Amino acid sequence: MYPEERQQAIASLVMTRGRASVTELAEVYAVTTETVRRDLAVLDRAGLVRRVHGGAVPARALHVVEAGVAERDSTRTDHKDTIAHAATEFFPTSGASVLFDAGTTTARVAALLPPDQELTVVTNSVPIAARVAGSAPVSLHLLGGRVRGLTQAAVGEQVLRVLDTLRVDIAFIGTNGISAAHGLSTPDSEEAAVKRAMVRCANYVVVVSDSSKVGREEFVSFAAISEVDALVTDNEITDDARAAFTELGVEVVIA
């Protein structure tokens, strides 16, 4: 196979699967990993794929167009439900404080809060606040600010000022993208500022994200991988990505 033919085949494979690792491509096309990296560099310059840590994703995976809550809530629902149930192992004991970032997966985790534990719950998400407000043992603190219609999350200086005064036991954080190089990322700078403050005020950070976000690098990075204690994801994460996160000190839980 000529290099041009192999590169076209690699581009087609990446676009079909959504991502591919360097080692996987080397095995498929019987070439060295160095050859694959050169091929990916050519395809990246051509705008066909985007190189990420350990492999490549389609060019469309790097974008600044943000989906709304309704659209995101109806995608990969089985994965999100499974992830939420796995994330419950990180729930603290009664009397602790828990922070929920806005998001469709974090909302599923919040819905599984135990009904018999007294917890202080902090969130900037209108849907999450509405979901847990009726739980008798929960002391709910809704962060106030301008609510973005797209994500139904409160953002802005008011939210940041309050978060700067808090120290919570555990934070469940959502993300639009996660990679070893770019960390956790999201398209909107205001949401990124709030997420960054949430990570910083938490003693323990659990990221809940389905594997389609792995390898994606959105416009604004709000946390390095080293700031994450645990990642709960589904079994479609690649071995390379899992190894990369583990090497950086993250506990990767496969739901």
Side-chain angles (χ1 to χ4, degrees), residues 12-241:
S12 297
L13 181 65
V14 170
M15 285 185 279
T16 299
R17 294 188 179 180
R19 62 182 171 276
S21 69
V22 169
T23 53
E24 174 189 8
L25 293 170
E27 292 176 1
V28 170
Y29 298 105
V31 294
T32 65
T33 55
E34 289 75 14
T35 297
V36 170
R37 290 189 179 94
R38 287 194 294 270
D39 287 341
L40 294 180
V42 171
L43 294 170
D44 185 275
R45 288 195 296 270
L48 296 175
V49 305
R50 288 290 179 266
R51 296 175 68 186
V52 296
H53 182 81
V57 296
R60 65 177 182 273
L62 183 63
H63 57 80
V64 296
V65 178
E66 190 175 6
V69 171
E71 179 182 347
R72 288 186 289 117
D73 196 40
S74 62
T75 59
R76 296 177 70 85
T77 55
D78 290 343
H79 293 81
K80 292 176 180 179
D81 288 338
T82 303
I83 289 167
H85 281 279
T88 61
E89 71 175 73
F90 293 100
F91 281 161
T93 57
S94 186
S97 54
V98 186
L99 185 152
F100 289 102
D101 177 26
T104 56
T105 307
T106 51
R108 284 170 164 80
V109 180
L112 298 174
L113 280 171
D116 57 346
Q117 290 189 14
E118 294 184 359
L119 297 171
T120 298
V121 174
V122 181
T123 187
N124 69 324
S125 166
V126 174
I128 291 177
R131 186 184 294 267
V132 303
S135 179
V138 168
S139 174
L140 174 65
H141 295 259
L142 175 60
L143 299 171
R146 182 180 69 85
V147 176
R148 293 188 70 218
L150 192 65
T151 60
Q152 299 177 34
V155 296
E157 284 299 321
Q158 185 176 346
V159 178
L160 298 177
R161 284 196 300 269
V162 174
L163 286 171
D164 190 48
T165 68
L166 300 182
R167 176 63 66 186
V168 298
D169 293 303
I170 186 167
F172 290 95
I173 303 294
T175 187
N176 297 77
I178 177 171
S179 73
H182 197 50
L184 309 178
S185 56
T186 192
D188 183 77
S189 59
E190 284 193 299
E191 292 236 18
V194 172
K195 289 173 181 287
R196 186 177 299 115
M198 287 179 166
V199 169
R200 289 176 178 172
C201 80
N203 288 327
Y204 198 87
V205 176
V206 178
V207 174
V208 287
S209 172
D210 71 82
S211 61
S212 69
K213 313 291 181 59
V214 176
R216 289 176 57 173
E217 297 180 337
E218 297 290 350
F219 186 53
V220 186
S221 174
F222 62 87
I225 295 299
S226 59
E227 297 177 86
V228 175
D229 294 292
L231 166 65
V232 185
T233 188
D234 59 71
N235 59 10
E236 292 181 12
I237 186 174
T238 66
D239 291 338
D240 283 350

